[in-house]
Amino acid sequence: MIADIAFYLFSGVMLLCALMVIGARNPVHSVLFLIAAFFNAAALFLLLGAEFLAMILLVVYVGAVAVLFLFVVMMLDIDFAALRRGFMTYLPVGALVGLLLLSELALAMGAWISVGSAGGVRAQPTPDGVTNTEALGRILYTDYVFFFQIAGLVLLVAMIGAIVLTLRHRPGVRRQSISAQVNRDPAKAIENLDVKPGEGVS
Amino acid sequence: MNLAMQNIDLLMPEFIMAGGGLALLMLGVFLGDSAQRIVSNLAILVMLATIGCIAIHSSDGSLSVFSGAFQVDDFGRFVKVLSLLSAALVLVISQNYIEQKGMGRFEFPVLVIFAVLGMMLMISASNFLTLYMGLELQSLSLYVLASFNRDNLRSTEAGLKYFVLGALSSGMLLYGISLIYGFAGSTGFAEVAAATEGGLSLGLVFGLVFLIAGLAFKISAVPFHMWTPDVYEGAPTPITAFFAGAPKVAALALFVRTMISAFPGASEEWVQIIVFVAILSMVLGAVAAIGQNNIKRLMAYSSIGHMGFALVGLAAGTEAGIQGVLIYLAIYVATTIGVFVCILAMRRGGEMVENISDLAGLARSRPGFAFALAMLMFSLAGIPPVAGFFAKFYVFLAAIEAGLYPLAVIGVLASVVGAYYYLRIVKIIYFDEPAPALEPKMEARLAVVLCLSLAFTLGFIAVASPLVVSAEAAAYSLFP
């Protein structure tokens, strides 16, 4: 009963937040609503017993992606009103494509035949006596280690790409040198002068 | 030892590439951009070592690793060697160009290595997860390479266009894969093949269509070709040469393996789509290239047409057809690299020129160069006795044996139309009023690669039999 109430509460708030993401006029508010939606989705994962996914959702999406969005929105001067100006003109075409995809999905779902054993697998997301973080880790680093490693390479290439395309070495840039700062001592940093009244330091 | 880890030594070529890429990355970071030439040469060595490793294990037969996610067989070995050779030759010819254009950074060969590693994963993919991961590894490297000349507006535009459209196609591909997974209950090719043995359910048909759309995008087959001319024109020329070779080969091999291994029971459904795509590609490749003035754009349309011809072999769906595809790819790669060497050698006053009219009257100032380019054009057009003719011969023969007469007839007609623009270049080279002469000197590296390509094209009859035999063995390994 309480689980049901919690489910409807979280999913209701999540849908509202999702609606506000595209409805809010101020882009910063949109991103904040997005973060709220992520939190509710994480709560839904918790209700399902998938605590690892819930935490990952918070760490990755809220911690990294949403904050990145926020930076983009605040730092780049994008005129969102201008971006939305063509909305009504393109609405019919967009609606048509959306309708097509929806009908395809409906057709595909209509053809769904559930295998009898599928329910049994779904009812038990993790093996007995193992937390689902551990269960995920066990298959990720054994059966799926190959894909895990390729994913690592994909991320490496993404990193190389970002550096190749954006890093520029400018001459004459003053950089902080921590070792030089730490190695300074009072003898080098302070000079005692005997200043006579009314003369000042030349 | 874990069951999944059995036969892990089959991954040796991939380990060499990945390890080599990481080592060269470290080397480059420590030595700085001045090490670009060293890193590039070492990258060529890594690729040759990988080819050697594949050659040593060439008699291993068909085996799989990671519970069937990664298939090693003659088909994979053939296409991998082809991709590696193509990429290594591109590194050979790109050296001076990227130095002169001020983009001599050590990341270039490293990205090429990772792109080729992605291709090797694609070629051996026998699971939709491997397919997707390999494809992304390759695509991501290619997006960066396309915009590698980051201070050039057209290069960055090419990279951005490629990225946005490539991401869209990946989305379609994933949508298809998720539908297939949902309805077949597995991502492994063998399991999907078992699930589709008796025909496709509606959901699987949708999945298959989206999958083919995504794959057609990667080989730039019509109607998913729009990005090709812009990306080919905008990207730096050696990188265009790379795009025209190895990625096309790997994506087409992936296409072939997915269709033959995962959907053998549904060939009626996918053959229709492939026939449609092949006809459109051949016709558009032939017609749209006629009006082009820029030779890189012309090569883009040419590659669209050639992918259409290669798909004819896949449409046949037989061993002879797949053998035809493999021979076609080998000849296409060998000829295209020669043409791109010629494009790289088109310089006037220290600047690259790319217009076809710049070649006018080339035969008078540079008879050797003109002869080479003319022969390569004959090969692309498919005129006997040069190599290109045999490429088309094998795929059309397979199509006729499979009873696809309309496809073969349209294909031959399209190749006649296409011959017009290849021969127009020959006419411009030999009979037009000379344009100001191009720079007379050609670098030694370029000349060597051009000679290799020309020797293969002209002497194909002499070297044909080992290629045909190994292509036959490769095609045979794909059918259980």
Side-chain angles (χ1 to χ4, degrees), chain A:
Chain A
M1 178 65 193
I2 290 180
D4 283 350
I5 294 174
F7 171 76
Y8 285 112
L9 179 72
F10 287 130
S11 43
V13 175
M14 187 174 80
L15 286 176
L16 272 180
C17 290
L19 203 63
M20 289 307 289
V21 172
I22 52 171
R25 283 211 162 274
N26 186 334
V28 178
H29 292 174
S30 283
V31 178
L32 292 176
F33 275 115
L34 188 67
I35 294 175
F38 283 144
F39 268 99
N40 284 290
L44 288 178
F45 274 128
L46 273 183
L47 286 180
L48 284 172
E51 72 273 1
F52 182 73
L53 277 182
M55 292 308 133
I56 283 293
L57 191 72
L58 290 188
V59 172
V60 174
Y61 280 87
V62 179
V65 178
V67 172
L68 191 72
F69 276 171
L70 208 55
F71 272 143
V72 170
V73 167
M74 294 193 327
M75 290 181 140
L76 301 182
D77 187 21
I78 301 172
D79 188 356
F80 284 90
L83 283 180
R84 283 202 202 127
R85 201 162 291 146
F87 185 71
M88 288 313 285
T89 36
Y90 296 123
L91 186 64
V93 184
L96 188 70
V97 174
L99 214 63
L100 268 175
L101 285 177
L102 187 69
S103 54
E104 280 179 7
L105 263 181
L107 274 174
M109 287 297 168
W112 192 284
I113 305 159
S114 185
V115 186
S117 58
V121 180
R122 193 179 47 199
Q124 196 182 23
T126 52
D128 284 326
V130 180
T131 65
N132 79 47
T133 311
E134 194 182 339
L136 273 175
R138 277 190 188 169
I139 63 162
L140 191 59
Y141 296 106
T142 54
D143 294 351
Y144 289 85
V145 68
F146 178 54
F147 307 114
F148 187 72
Q149 293 297 331
I150 308 173
L153 282 177
V154 172
L155 290 177
L156 176 71
V157 168
M159 203 168 78
I160 299 173
I163 293 172
V164 165
L165 295 181
T166 56
L167 180 70
R168 281 166 206 278
H169 292 288
R170 292 195 196 83
V173 177
R174 288 160 181 272
R175 288 210 167 75
Q176 185 181 21
S177 168
I178 293 172
S179 66
Q181 290 176 344
V182 171
N183 287 333
R184 266 159 74 100
D185 54 25
K188 288 183 211 148
I190 301 170
E191 193 181 354
N192 284 325
L193 294 175
D194 188 16
V195 184
K196 300 264 168 6
E199 288 182 5
V201 185
S202 58

Side-chain angles (χ1 to χ4, degrees), chain B residues 249-328:
Chain B
V249 171
L252 197 58
L254 173 74
F255 207 152
V256 167
R257 191 194 287 279
T258 313
M259 291 302 124
I260 302 286
S261 306
F263 298 98
S267 59
E268 265 177 44
E269 278 87 352
W270 58 257
V271 164
Q272 289 174 24
I273 310 176
I274 305 279
V275 166
F276 175 74
V277 170
I279 289 178
L280 284 184
S281 305
M282 290 186 295
V283 172
L284 187 120
V287 176
I290 291 174
Q292 301 303 325
N293 295 319
N294 182 302
I295 194 157
K296 278 162 83 181
R297 275 187 96 81
L298 183 121
M299 286 308 291
Y301 283 106
S302 161
S303 86
I304 293 171
H306 282 295
M307 284 300 121
F309 289 116
L311 281 178
V312 170
L314 174 58
T318 55
E319 273 172 44
I322 305 308
Q323 183 194 1
V325 172
L326 293 174
I327 295 171
Y328 201 103

Side-chain angles (χ1 to χ4, degrees), chain B residues 161-250:
Chain B
K161 262 187 190 160
Y162 197 12
F163 174 67
V164 171
L165 292 174
L168 183 73
S169 79
S170 290
M172 287 199 283
L173 192 76
L174 270 184
Y175 189 45
I177 291 174
S178 62
L179 281 173
I180 291 167
Y181 175 51
F183 282 91
S186 173
T187 54
F189 283 6
E191 289 82 357
V192 172
T196 58
E197 207 160 346
L200 295 180
S201 67
L202 193 58
L204 277 170
V205 173
F206 275 115
L208 182 63
V209 170
F210 275 102
L211 180 74
I212 292 180
L215 290 177
F217 204 99
K218 299 293 178 195
I219 60 167
S220 71
V222 183
F224 305 100
H225 64 285
M226 284 78 132
W227 57 273
T228 326
D230 290 340
V231 172
Y232 275 39
E233 191 189 351
T237 308
I239 292 167
T240 311
F242 183 52
F243 285 178
K248 290 277 170 81
V249 171

